[in-house]
C-alpha cells in the first residue's frame, strides 16, 4: 500500500500503444529525466501532443496508470500499463473509442485510496487544484492508525488508533473504506469520503448498494463483499476480518506466498492429520478455494475470489447478467442507509447507463422532497430528472434552490443555463456559464454550450476563444474542431448539449 502512488519517474514503464480503432499512437518515455506521454494521430499529422506525467497510481501488482496536470487541472492518462499482459492498453471504457478521447478528469474521490492527505479540488471545480492534490504519496500509517504526530513526538508513548482494538464495525471500516465498491456508492449529505478517519465508521460517510442477484465476482474491489458470503466468515462472525489473513505491514515474496497463506488457513483448519493429508502435493490452498476471476469493469485484471468455497464451480458457472427483473438495489455494510441514499443510488445507476431506473429514482426523490430542501446532491438529481421528463419549471426552481445553497455548484449552473438558453434568454445563460467555465475550462460540454450561445448572441470572438481554450485539454475532439470551423455561420437553430 505504501507503493500505491508517487512521482511518475519512481515507477515508470516505457512502452507504446497503437490503438487501431482511433488510429492514435501513445508513446511513454523518459525525456530529460521527465516522464512523458506523446500522443500522435495518423488521421491528423498536426495533432501531436506531449504531456508531462507527474504521478503514478497503482502498486504495479495489477497495473499502473499515470496522472498529468495542465494549468492546474489534474487528468489521468487514457492508457494504462497492465501487469498481466506486460503491455499498455486503453483505460476501461475507452477500448472502442474512434478518436482521441477527451481529457479524463481526476477528482479527489478517485485519489483517496491511492494517496494520503488528499485535498479537495478548488471550490466550484471538478479537478482543479491550486496547490498539491495530495500531500503524501502512497498509503501512509495515518490511513489505518489516524493522526500519528503525538505518537512520533513522544517516541511511541502516545497511543494511535489500533484497528485490532476497535469494535468490529470500526475495525472493518478501515479496510472497507477502500476495499468495498459495490455497484453504487453514495456519500451522505455534507459528508466526503476523503474525510474518513480511522476510528470512524465508514457507514457515517458512505452507503453501498448492489443489484440483487448480480454476481459479486464480476466487479473489481468486491473482496469484502465476497468474504461476507464465505462459510469461514459466516461461521466465525466478528472474530474474522481482513487481517485474519492479510498483514497490512507485510507482503510475502512470491516464493513464500503459498506457505504464508496456507498457515492462515491452518490457523483455523489446523488438525494435524488434516494438514498432512489434504493435498500434500499442492500447498497453495488458494489455487483451489480462492481462484482468480476476471472483473467485467476492469479488463486485463484477475481478482482473487474471496468467497473461499469448498468446491469452486467451473469458470463462468456463476456469471449472471443483470436482467429486467433484477433492477433492485439493496444496501450492504450500510446500516445507516436512508431513503435519500437509496434514491440517489438509483439516480447514480441512471448515470451509469441503466435508464430503466429513471421512473423509480424520480418517484423516490419526489417522495422525500420535503427532506432534501438543503441537500444539493439530491436536489440536483431531482432537477435533472425533472428536466428530462419535460418539467422545465420545476427543474429551474430546483436548480435555483441549489444555487442559493452554493452559488458555485457546477451541476446547477450548467443545467439552469441550458434551461435559460432554450427559453431564449441567451444573456442569462452566458451569465451562468461564463464564470463556471472560467473555473472549469476542461469541461467540454460546458465549453460547447457556452460557445454556442456566445455565437448565437453575435459574439463570435468569445465563442472562438472558448473553444480554443478547451482544446488545450482535449485537442483531438472532432466535434469541437468542427464547431470552430462553422462559427461564421452559427445560428439560433443550433442545439445545445
Amino acid at each position: 500500500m505504501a507503493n500505491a502512488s508517487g512521482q511518475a519517474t519512481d515507477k515508470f514503464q516505457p512502452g507504446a500503444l497503437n490503438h487501431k480503432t482511433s488510429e492514435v499512437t501513445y508513446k511513454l518515455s523518459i525525456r530529460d529525466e521527465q516522464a512523458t506521454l506523446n500522443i500522435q494521430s495518423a488521421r491528423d499529422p498536426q495533432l501531436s501532443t506531449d504531456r508531462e506525467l507527474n504521478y503514478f497510481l497503482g502498486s504495479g501488482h495489477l497495473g499502473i496508470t499515470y496522472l498529468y496536470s495542465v494549468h492546474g487541472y489534474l487528468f489521468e492518462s487514457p492508457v494504462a500499463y497492465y501487469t498481466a499482459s506486460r503491455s499498455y492498453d486503453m483505460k476501461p471504457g475507452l477500448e472502442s473509442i474512434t478518436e482521441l478521447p477527451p481529457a479524463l478528469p481526476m477528482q479527489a474521490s478517485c485519489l483517496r485510496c491511492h494517496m494520503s492527505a488528499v485535498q479537495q479540488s478548488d471550490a466550484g471545480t471538478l479537478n482543479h487544484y491550486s496547490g498539491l492534490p495530495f500531500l503524501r504519496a502512497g498509503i501512509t500509517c495515518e490511513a489505518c492508525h489516524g493522526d500519528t504526530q503525538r505518537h512520533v513526538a513522544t517516541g511511541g508513548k502516545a497511543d494511535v488508533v489500533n484497528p485490532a482494538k476497535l469494535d468490529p464495525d470500526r475495525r472493518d471500516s478501515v479496510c472497507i473504506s477502500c476495499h468495498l465498491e459495490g455497484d453504487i456508492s453514495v456519500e451522505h449529505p455534507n459528508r466526503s469520503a476523503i474525510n474518513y478517519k480511522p476510528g470512524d465508521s465508514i457507514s457515517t460517510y458512505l452507503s453501498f448498494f448492489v443489484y440483487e442477484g448480480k454476481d459479486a465476482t464480476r466487479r473489481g474491489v468486491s473482496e469484502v463483499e465476497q468474504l461476507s458470503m464465505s462459510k469461514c466468515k459466516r461461521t466465525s462472525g466478528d472474530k474474522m476480518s481482513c487481517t485474519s489473513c492479510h498483514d497490512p505491514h507485510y507482503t510475502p515474496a512470491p516464493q513464500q506466498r503459498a506457505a504464508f497463506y496456507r498457515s492462515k488457513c491452518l490457523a483455523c483448519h489446523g488438525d494435524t492429520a488434516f494438514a498432512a493429508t489434504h493435498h500434500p502435493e499442492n500447498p497453495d490452498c488458494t489455487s483451489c478455494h480462492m481462484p482468480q476471476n476476471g472483473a467485467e469493469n476492469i479488463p486485463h485484471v484477475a481478482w482473487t475470489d474471496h468467497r473461499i468455497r469448498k468446491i469452486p464451480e467451473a469458470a463462468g458457472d456463476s456469471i449472471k447478467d443483470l436482467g429486467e427483473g433484477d433492477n433492485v438495489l439493496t444496501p450492504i455494510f450500510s446500516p445507516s442507509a436512508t431513503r435519500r441514499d437509496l434514491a440517489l443510488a438509483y439516480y447514480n445507476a441512471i448515470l451509469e447507463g441503466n435508464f430503466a431506473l429513471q421512473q423509480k429514482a424520480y418517484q423516490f426523490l419526489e417522495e422525500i422532497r420535503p427532506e432534501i430542501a438543503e441537500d444539493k446532491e439530491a436536489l440536483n438529481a431531482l432537477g435533472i430528472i425533472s428536466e428530462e421528463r419535460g418539467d422545465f419549471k420545476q427543474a429551474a426552481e430546483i436548480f435555483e434552490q441549489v444555487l442559493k445553497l452554493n452559488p458555485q455548484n457546477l451541476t446547477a449552473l450548467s443545467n439552469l443555463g441550458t434551461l435559460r438558453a432554450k427559453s431564449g434568454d441567451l444573456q442569462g445563460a452566458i451569465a451562468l456559464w461564463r464564470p463556471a467555465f472560467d473555473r472549469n475550462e476542461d469541461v467540454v460540454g460546458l465549453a460547447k454550450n457556452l460557445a454556442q450561445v456566445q455565437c448565437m448572441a453575435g459574439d463570435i470572438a468569445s465563442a472562438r476563444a472558448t473553444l480554443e481554450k478547451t482544446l488545450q485539454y482535449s485537442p483531438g475532439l472532432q466535434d469541437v474542431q468542427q464547431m470552430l470551423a462553422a462559427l461564421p455561420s452559427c445560428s439560433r437553430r443550433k442545439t445545445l448539449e
Side-chain angles (χ1 to χ4, degrees):
M1 292 188 293
N3 298 305
S5 62
Q7 297 293 321
T9 51
D10 293 343
K11 188 174 288 186
F12 188 73
Q13 290 285 352
L17 171 67
N18 182 12
H19 187 237
K20 295 181 180 179
T21 306
S22 62
E23 297 185 70
V24 175
T25 299
Y26 303 86
K27 294 182 180 179
L28 294 95
S29 60
I30 299 289
R31 299 180 189 172
D32 300 324
E33 300 183 351
Q34 171 66 53
T36 302
L37 169 64
N38 173 258
I39 303 172
Q40 291 187 323
S41 170
R43 298 174 188 164
D44 183 0
Q46 293 184 341
L47 178 57
S48 178
T49 303
D50 284 333
R51 301 300 191 193
E52 292 187 353
L53 303 174
N54 305 112
Y55 311 109
F56 79 83
L57 187 154
S59 65
H61 175 63
L62 300 175
I64 302 171
T65 190
Y66 297 96
L67 310 181
Y68 64 91
S69 180
V70 180
H71 303 319
Y73 295 93
L74 189 64
F75 304 102
E76 184 177 8
S77 165
V79 298
Y81 180 82
Y82 293 94
T83 303
S85 63
R86 297 183 181 182
S87 63
Y88 278 95
D89 207 339
M90 302 299 292
K91 294 290 307 240
L94 299 179
E95 300 90 345
S96 301
I97 197 163
T98 58
E99 64 178 334
L100 178 64
L104 305 176
M106 178 54 67
Q107 301 183 47
S109 58
C110 300
L111 295 173
R112 68 181 186 87
C113 291
H114 300 272
M115 288 80 168
S116 297
V118 172
Q119 306 297 294
Q120 289 280 13
S121 59
D122 296 344
T125 77
L126 293 177
N127 60 313
H128 189 274
Y129 302 85
S130 296
L132 292 172
F134 58 96
L135 304 185
R136 290 181 287 277
I139 303 303
T140 62
C141 303
E142 288 82 359
C144 298
H145 298 290
D147 189 350
T148 60
Q149 291 185 10
R150 289 187 63 245
H151 181 74
V152 173
T154 60
K157 294 180 181 179
D159 288 339
V160 294
V161 174
N162 183 348
K165 294 182 179 180
L166 298 174
D167 61 78
D169 173 50
R170 294 186 299 150
R171 174 200 67 196
D172 295 344
S173 289
V174 174
C175 301
I176 286 174
S177 64
C178 285
H179 291 277
L180 178 64
E181 185 175 71
D183 288 307
I184 304 287
S185 63
V186 175
E187 287 187 331
H188 293 179
N190 301 313
R191 291 278 189 171
S192 172
I194 71 171
N195 294 327
Y196 165 78
K197 297 291 187 297
D200 295 342
S201 171
I202 190 63
S203 64
T204 64
Y205 295 84
L206 289 167
S207 291
F208 300 93
F209 296 85
V210 297
Y211 288 106
E212 288 186 4
K214 190 175 182 182
D215 180 12
T217 66
R218 300 188 71 183
R219 288 188 293 274
V221 199
S222 58
E223 301 96 333
V224 175
E225 182 185 353
Q226 293 172 5
L227 180 64
S228 70
M229 302 174 183
S230 70
K231 185 176 181 180
C232 294
K233 175 63 175 173
R234 287 185 281 113
T235 301
S236 302
D238 289 337
K239 294 180 181 179
M240 187 176 187
S241 70
C242 299
T243 55
S244 298
C245 300
H246 295 281
D247 183 345
H249 304 118
Y250 171 74
T251 299
Q255 63 271 23
Q256 299 171 332
R257 185 180 180 280
F260 177 84
Y261 288 110
R262 183 178 181 83
S263 70
K264 301 297 183 181
C265 297
L266 294 180
C268 292
H269 305 281
D271 178 85
T272 304
F274 173 83
T277 59
H278 187 70
H279 292 289
E281 80 288 353
N282 180 14
D284 186 359
C285 304
T286 65
S287 65
C288 289
H289 301 287
M290 301 177 69
Q292 292 194 327
N293 295 315
E296 64 182 6
N297 58 341
I298 307 180
H300 313 294
V301 168
W303 298 79
T304 300
D305 187 343
H306 278 67
R307 291 176 295 174
I308 321 177
R309 291 164 298 166
K310 183 176 181 179
I311 305 176
E313 70 266 7
D317 285 354
S318 68
I319 292 177
K320 181 180 185 297
D321 291 322
L322 191 65
E324 292 185 4
D326 297 317
N327 282 325
V328 177
L329 287 168
T330 185
I332 56 169
F333 299 96
S334 303
S336 58
T338 63
R339 294 196 304 164
R340 173 263 187 195
D341 299 338
L342 181 60
L344 280 182
Y346 279 111
Y347 172 72
N348 289 343
I350 299 170
L351 298 183
E352 294 186 2
N354 193 347
F355 303 110
L357 294 178
Q358 186 185 96
Q359 176 59 33
K360 186 173 289 188
Y362 178 75
Q363 177 185 339
F364 285 1
L365 286 165
E366 275 288 350
E367 288 175 356
I368 61 171
R369 180 77 182 273
E371 304 170 22
I372 60 174
E374 297 186 0
D375 188 330
K376 298 182 292 294
E377 288 72 22
L379 286 172
N380 274 331
L382 180 57
I384 290 171
I385 297 178
S386 297
E387 182 180 354
E388 292 176 349
R389 291 167 60 91
D391 192 344
F392 302 138
K393 182 176 182 294
Q394 172 166 291
E397 290 173 351
I398 291 173
F399 295 134
E400 288 169 354
Q401 186 176 351
V402 172
L403 292 177
K404 288 179 181 178
L405 300 172
N406 178 8
Q408 294 184 336
N409 187 278
L410 179 59
T411 301
L413 288 169
S414 298
N415 286 277
L416 183 58
T418 299
L419 291 171
R420 288 186 177 176
K422 287 181 176 179
S423 71
D425 183 6
L426 301 184
Q427 293 304 324
I430 292 173
L432 292 172
W433 285 342
R434 179 73 257 182
F437 179 70
D438 288 342
R439 294 188 295 269
N440 296 273
E441 296 175 352
D442 63 315
V443 178
V444 176
L446 177 59
K448 290 166 63 178
N449 280 346
L450 175 59
Q452 186 62 64
V453 294
Q454 287 171 327
C455 191
M456 292 162 66
D459 191 353
I460 294 179
S462 292
R464 183 178 302 280
T466 297
L467 295 174
E468 289 177 344
K469 188 167 288 186
T470 206
L471 281 174
Q472 296 178 78
Y473 309 96
S474 302
L477 294 184
Q478 297 175 15
D479 55 349
V480 177
Q481 294 170 344
Q482 290 167 359
M483 282 187 69
L484 263 175
L487 281 180
S489 59
C490 69
S491 72
R492 290 177 179 269
R493 292 191 296 274
K494 301 291 185 180
T495 56
L496 295 165
E497 290 294 309

